[in-house]
């Protein structure tokens, strides 16, 4: 693939706040026209990375391009071609939906402003509410306004920072349908999220933790690459069982899912050996399953935390 | 990045729409100058008259009565009660019920006739020097004149020979000594400092506090464009407020407008931009609206106290004058009083106009440089 095939191509991206290393030599490549999910626990550096890509923060180290433009020197050109949706709603609450969009259209210097705004309003079903103040909208509508404003100038790359936090499932579904429609037209999307179902709707995911890239690839690849083996147990009094199992060395994570527990480990044999004593207990019903993405996610989270603490103690 | 009027205008329109919906601020823009003008214009007086006075007279002679009448005639003293002991006078002074106690000693007239120069004691409440000063100087002059007129017959020999020279004081520009003539032109400066610095600082920090700054920074718009768009509405508001004050000053207080109004508004524009840029700089330093407000007050207080608005500038110690010279309001107050009350011309105000120009350019540069293009 040529460089042009990537909408985002950054290497060694590093950012420190004071002596805190927030993003630590982070590499990422996002091919054009793809939807990439950006995952990682809170404080892992996702927002900082997105801000560096769109020129809101200057990287301390590293280099790279967004849409073929240097993120260090061509931030202004990048800003014209990308849409960035902030984590917190950041449009003007004392302006109406229409006024917000008109402001954005004017700043980007769009032709046929009125027409473009009308189109955006219709596209995202905002037309009937266009005279409503943005501050009076509920979460779902605010997010819809933000999306409308971000794509108003036909960007080639969308950076979305937890766009669906606090939005109901129906609105989330509609939002993702919209994202897929945009991607089908060639738009590249990098979207950070905490929702597993959303991650599974992406072409690929990037997992980041403590400022470092942990893994990336399609959801299937990531699940397989994690080398995780999961047993599912159903029965009575699972919480006390969970407490017992967590102490076993072979068991890496124990997570309750409704009326069952997912018990995961990285070594199939030792996990089975460790669990065998409990198989005979008639109160429990055991079977093996391929790990869910969430099992993998939680496993990575726990791992990263262990590494971090180990490093901290060593240092 | 080049400057685009279109983008700047977008910010300006946005700012106006937001302002229109912010009725509290809108009312403040009109009410602050009106209320301050009425309050300061009618209430403040640095040359107060009819001050409460008590008289303790041990002498019931015609001369004593003349002295008391003379004090009344100065209009500075309002003799509200006759008292009968020194203790009573001290109590009244301490309680702040009177500002002066006049004591006429026993045998005042007799001692005068005998040429023994009796003492006429005027005790003043010195805790308020401004109030006492005018009255005391009036008392000195008036009493001397009245006594000279009254000293007839056997007392005529006591009349002093005419002094070797007379001191003539002449109040130029404000012959009646109306405080409000002085206050109103200064008030323009204070109100513009207040609304200008605060509103600009708040308008910018509000964006940061509400998170909209991140959005603004992610858009292709330059600091200068944001600044111009943000400042222009408040510049217009500043002109509106100034016009309001000048009209009210002329209609309500009859402040004479002697100089050129064009010159006044030209100097005013420079002063307004100074304040806006100052507010903009504050907003770059402040993390939130509360801090912006505190920093604004830190500039506002010296602007009131050290600028010559409240107290005579030339009466301050030299170091304080140096400090005062760093405040734009100091220069603008002199310009404003000069043009409105004395009819100063461009040449007259130039010594105070150029510091304003320097200030404007310097602060605008700082404001633009300090504006953070990123969230770093």
């Amino acid at each position: 693939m040529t460089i042009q095939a990537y909408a985002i191509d950054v290497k060694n991206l590093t950012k420190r706040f004071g002596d805190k290393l927030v993003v630590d030599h982070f590499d990422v490549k996002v091919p054009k026209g793809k939807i990439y999910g950006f995952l990682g626990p809170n404080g892992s550096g996702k927002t900082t990375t997105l801000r560096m890509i769109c020129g809101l923060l200057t990287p301390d180290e590293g280099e790279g391009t967004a849409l073929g433009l240097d993120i260090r020197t061509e931030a202004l050109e990048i800003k014209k071609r990308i849409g960035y949706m902030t984590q917190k709603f950041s449009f003007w609450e004392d302006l109406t939906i229409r006024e917000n969009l008109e402001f954005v259209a004017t700043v980007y210097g769009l032709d046929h402003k009125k027409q473009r705004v009308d189109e955006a309003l219709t596209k995202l079903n905002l037309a009937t509410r266009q005279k409503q103040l943005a501050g009076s909208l509920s979460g779902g509508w605010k997010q819809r306004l933000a999306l409308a404003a971000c794509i108003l100038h036909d960007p080639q790359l969308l950076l979305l920072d937890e766009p669906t936090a606090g939005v109901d499932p129906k609105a989330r579904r509609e939002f993702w349908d919209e994202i897929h429609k945009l991607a089908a037209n060639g738009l590249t999307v990098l979207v950070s999220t905490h929702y597993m179902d959303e991650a599974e709707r992406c072409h690929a995911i990037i997992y980041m933790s403590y400022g470092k890239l942990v893994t990336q690839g399609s959801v299937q690849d990531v699940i397989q690459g994690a080398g995780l083996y999961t047993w599912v147990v159903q029965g009575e009094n699972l919480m006390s069982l969970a407490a017992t199992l967590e102490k076993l060395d072979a068991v890496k994570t124990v997570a309750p899912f409704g009326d069952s527990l997912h018990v995961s480990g990285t070594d199939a044999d030792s996990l089975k050996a460790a669990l065998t004593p409990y198989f005979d207990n008639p109160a429990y019903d055991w079977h093996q399953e391929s790990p869910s993405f969430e099992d993998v996610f939680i496993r990575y989270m726990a791992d990263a935390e262990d590494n971090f603490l180990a490093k901290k103690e060593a240092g | 990045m080049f400057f685009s009027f279109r983008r700047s205008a977008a910010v300006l329109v946005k700012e106006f729409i937001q302002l229109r919906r912010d009725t509290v601020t809108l009312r403040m823009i009109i009410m602050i100058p009106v209320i301050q003008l009425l309050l300061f214009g009618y209430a403040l007086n640095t040359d107060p008259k009819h001050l409460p006075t008590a008289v303790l007279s041990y002498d019931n002679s015609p001369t004593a009565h003349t002295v008391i009448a003379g004090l009344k005639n100065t209009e500075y003293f309002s003799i509200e009660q006759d008292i009968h002991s020194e203790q009573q006078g001290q109590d009244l002074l301490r309680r702040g019920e009177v500002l002066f106690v006049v004591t006429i000693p026993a045998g005042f007239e007799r001692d005068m006739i005998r040429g023994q120069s009796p003492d006429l004691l005027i005790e003043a409440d010195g805790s308020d020097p401004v109030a006492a000063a005018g009255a005391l100087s009036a008392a000195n002059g008036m009493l001397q004149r009245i006594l000279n007129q009254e000293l007839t017959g056997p007392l005529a020999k006591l009349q002093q020979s005419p002094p070797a020279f007379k001191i003539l004081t002449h109040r130029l520009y404000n012959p009646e000594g109306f405080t409000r003539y002085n206050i109103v032109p200064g008030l323009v400066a204070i109100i513009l400092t207040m609304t200008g610095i605060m509103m600009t600082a708040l308008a910018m920090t509000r964006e940061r506090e509400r998170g909209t700054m991140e959005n603004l920074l992610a858009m292709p718009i330059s600091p200068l464009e944001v600044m111009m768009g943000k400042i222009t509405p408040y510049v217009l508001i500043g002109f509106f407020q100034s016009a309001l004050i000048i009209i009210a000053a002329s209609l309500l207080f009859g402040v004479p407008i002697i100089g050129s109004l064009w010159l006044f508004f030209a100097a005013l524009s420079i002063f307004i931009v100074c304040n806006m840029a100052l507010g903009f700089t504050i907003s770059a330093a402040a993390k939130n609206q509360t801090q912006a407000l505190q920093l604004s007050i830190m500039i506002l207080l010296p602007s009131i106290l050290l600028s010559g608005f409240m107290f005579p500038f030339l009466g301050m110690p030299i170091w304080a004058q140096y400090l005062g010279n760093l405040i734009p309001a100091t220069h603008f107050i002199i310009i404003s009083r000069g043009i409105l009350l004395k009819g100063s011309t461009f040449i007259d105000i130039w010594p105070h106009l150029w510091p304003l120009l320097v200030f404007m350019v310097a602060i605008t540069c700082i404001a633009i440089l300090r504006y953070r293009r990123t969230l770093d």
Side-chain angles (χ1 to χ4, degrees):
Chain A
M1 276 204 259
T2 62
I3 293 167
Q4 292 304 314
Y6 292 111
I8 300 173
D9 184 357
V10 292
K11 276 194 250 345
N12 279 327
L13 218 54
T14 300
K15 183 76 188 174
R16 290 180 192 84
F17 291 130
D19 53 2
K20 192 169 176 272
L21 197 56
V22 179
V23 176
D24 186 3
H25 300 88
F26 184 79
D27 294 358
V28 67
K29 284 182 179 179
V30 179
K32 283 193 174 162
K34 297 288 181 194
I35 302 173
Y36 265 51
F38 201 0
L39 283 84
N42 287 330
S44 56
K46 300 190 299 287
T47 299
T48 308
T49 305
L50 290 177
R51 283 176 173 173
M52 282 194 280
I53 294 171
C54 67
L56 277 178
L57 287 174
T58 334
D60 293 327
E61 278 173 53
E63 55 181 13
T65 58
L67 300 168
L69 296 157
D70 194 314
I71 60 165
R72 291 166 304 174
T73 56
E74 293 173 297
L76 180 64
E77 288 304 309
I78 293 175
K79 283 177 186 173
K80 287 184 190 166
R81 291 173 178 78
I82 66 167
Y84 169 54
M85 188 167 155
T86 54
Q87 192 169 355
K88 189 175 162 258
F89 179 73
S90 64
F91 285 86
W92 290 271
E93 302 209 331
D94 43 1
L95 297 186
T96 65
I97 290 182
R98 188 176 191 96
E99 286 160 353
N100 266 303
L101 292 180
E102 281 178 347
F103 173 70
V104 174
T106 318
V107 167
Y108 282 94
L110 304 183
D111 299 329
H112 313 295
K113 200 169 78 184
K114 195 182 172 307
Q115 198 190 326
R116 291 280 283 269
V117 170
D118 283 338
E119 276 170 17
L121 288 170
T122 319
K123 203 162 149 190
L124 287 155
N125 281 325
L126 287 163
T128 51
R129 292 170 179 255
Q130 56 174 296
K131 296 237 168 72
Q132 214 170 315
L133 291 183
S136 67
L137 298 171
S138 64
W141 287 102
K142 275 185 178 166
Q143 168 241 40
R144 216 177 269 207
L145 162 63
L147 183 64
C150 284
I151 59 175
L152 193 63
H153 59 292
D154 283 336
Q156 294 156 261
L157 170 63
L158 262 191
L159 302 174
L160 309 173
D161 197 356
E162 293 184 24
T164 52
V167 172
D168 69 53
K170 183 170 169 285
R172 284 210 292 147
R173 169 66 60 91
E174 286 165 359
F175 183 82
W176 274 90
D177 289 347
E178 192 58 45
I179 297 291
H180 272 275
K181 263 189 244 167
L182 292 165
N185 293 328
L187 184 74
T188 312
V189 182
L190 177 56
V191 47
S192 77
T193 179
H194 285 302
Y195 296 108
M196 295 306 125
D197 61 313
E198 291 188 350
E200 284 169 356
R201 299 190 70 166
C202 296
H203 294 122
I205 63 134
I206 298 166
Y207 191 96
M208 186 181 198
S209 186
Y210 291 100
K212 284 191 152 137
L213 178 72
V214 176
T215 184
Q216 61 174 329
S218 71
V219 169
Q220 219 44 53
D221 289 348
V222 169
I223 292 175
Q224 278 167 16
L228 202 64
Y229 302 90
T230 301
W231 285 83
V232 177
V233 56
Q234 283 172 304
E236 301 293 317
N237 214 359
L238 287 174
M239 289 321 286
S240 66
L241 178 65
T244 322
L245 295 177
E246 264 174 355
K247 290 185 188 117
L248 301 174
D249 283 340
V251 174
K252 293 296 176 193
T253 62
V254 179
F257 280 81
D259 60 352
S260 60
L261 277 183
H262 286 206
V263 185
S264 308
T266 44
D267 188 89
D269 296 334
S270 61
L271 178 67
K272 193 174 175 186
L275 294 178
T276 306
Y278 302 92
F279 289 170
D280 296 335
N281 191 331
Y284 305 121
D285 178 20
W286 292 86
H287 66 275
Q288 198 170 10
E289 248 183 36
S290 65
S292 70
F293 186 54
E294 184 153 335
D295 290 325
V296 173
F297 187 86
I298 291 169
R299 158 94 194 103
Y300 275 128
M301 234 152 120
D303 240 15
E305 201 164 343
D306 291 346
N307 284 347
F308 180 75
L309 292 173
K311 218 166 96 184
K312 222 175 162 183
E313 275 165 26
Chain B
M1 186 176 171
F2 61 95
F3 183 81
S4 149
F5 278 104
R6 184 199 72 229
R7 284 192 290 265
S8 214
V11 179
L12 188 142
V13 169
K14 171 181 93 61
E15 209 63 24
F16 264 125
I17 296 174
Q18 290 180 298
L19 203 56
R20 200 184 65 210
R21 300 216 167 103
D22 187 356
T23 44
V24 175
T25 307
L26 216 54
R27 263 179 242 152
M28 243 171 60
I29 288 168
I30 300 174
M31 292 315 282
I32 283 182
V34 170
I35 290 176
Q36 293 213 3
L37 188 70
L38 293 180
L39 266 181
F40 284 152
Y42 281 120
L44 287 197
N45 192 352
T46 52
D47 189 18
K49 298 193 174 163
H50 306 288
L51 301 170
T53 306
V55 172
L56 174 61
S57 181
Y58 293 112
D59 187 38
N60 204 15
S61 66
T63 309
H65 289 295
T66 309
V67 166
I68 292 166
L71 284 175
K72 274 185 192 161
N73 284 340
T74 62
E75 289 191 13
Y76 280 96
F77 301 92
S78 162
I79 293 168
E80 294 183 341
Q81 45 192 320
D82 291 318
I83 51 174
H84 304 290
S85 74
E86 275 174 43
Q87 188 54 45
Q88 209 180 344
Q90 297 303 321
D91 289 345
L92 286 172
L93 270 178
R94 198 176 326 107
R95 287 201 298 269
E97 284 176 31
V98 296
L99 276 179
F100 302 99
V101 173
V102 179
T103 309
I104 300 170
F108 179 69
E109 191 185 70
R110 185 196 62 214
D111 289 350
M112 269 176 81
I113 295 167
R114 290 182 185 163
Q116 286 174 338
S117 307
D119 293 324
L120 178 73
L121 179 66
I122 302 181
E123 288 163 298
D125 180 353
S127 64
D128 188 352
V130 179
L136 288 179
S137 75
N140 266 333
M142 283 301 202
L143 282 175
Q144 200 58 57
R145 224 171 326 151
I146 284 163
L147 286 181
N148 281 348
Q149 284 161 16
E150 290 295 319
L151 294 171
T152 51
L155 295 176
K157 65 174 192 303
L158 282 176
Q159 274 197 19
Q160 290 169 337
S161 52
F165 57 89
K166 286 188 212 163
I167 298 168
L168 289 180
T169 54
H170 212 163
R171 282 191 216 245
L172 290 167
Y173 312 122
N174 181 5
E176 300 90 340
F178 287 151
T179 306
R180 56 180 180 263
Y181 284 7
N182 195 36
I183 290 276
V184 171
L187 200 58
V188 180
I190 297 306
I191 287 171
L192 289 180
T193 307
M194 201 152 136
T195 53
I197 294 180
M198 252 182 222
M199 278 182 186
T200 325
L202 289 184
M204 286 305 296
T205 38
R206 195 156 46 221
E207 300 269 359
R208 201 167 301 129
E209 210 171 283
R210 292 183 184 169
T212 50
M213 199 65 196
E214 187 177 357
N215 203 343
L216 210 54
L217 287 173
M219 292 181 190
I221 184 163
S222 75
L224 190 63
E225 287 159 356
V226 175
M227 186 171 157
M228 293 296 286
K230 280 258 165 200
I231 279 182
T232 312
Y234 297 103
V235 171
L236 297 179
I237 288 171
F239 275 118
F240 169 75
Q241 291 182 325
S242 312
L244 205 65
I245 297 169
I246 295 295
I247 292 169
S250 170
L251 295 182
L252 291 179
F253 301 118
V255 172
I257 295 165
I258 298 168
S260 153
L261 270 183
W262 291 112
L263 187 61
F264 177 76
F265 274 96
L268 186 76
S269 336
I270 296 169
F271 179 62
I272 288 176
V273 176
C274 280
N275 285 329
M276 302 291 161
L278 210 52
F280 209 84
T281 312
I282 286 179
S283 73
K287 286 198 177 64
N288 50 47
Q289 295 196 66
T290 316
Q291 284 187 2
L293 212 58
Q294 287 167 341
L295 284 170
S296 304
I297 289 172
M298 261 180 59
I299 294 185
L300 190 62
L301 271 182
S303 293
I304 293 176
L305 298 175
L306 292 183
S307 64
F309 170 67
M310 290 290 258
F311 311 108
F313 188 77
L314 295 174
M316 299 193 305
I318 297 297
W319 62 266
Q321 291 191 24
Y322 278 123
L323 218 56
N325 270 320
L326 296 175
I327 301 168
T330 303
H331 301 284
F332 186 70
I333 286 174
I334 295 172
I335 292 174
S336 170
R337 284 176 182 161
I339 297 175
L340 295 179
L341 299 181
K342 306 182 202 167
S344 297
T345 60
F346 180 76
I347 306 288
D348 298 325
I349 65 167
W350 177 246
H352 291 284
L353 200 58
W354 72 256
L356 273 189
L357 283 167
V358 170
F359 198 90
M360 178 180 79
V361 173
I363 286 291
T364 307
C365 288
I366 294 175
I368 291 176
L369 290 176
R370 289 277 301 168
Y371 179 88
R372 286 169 240 167
R373 285 156 207 260
T374 61
L375 292 166
D376 285 293

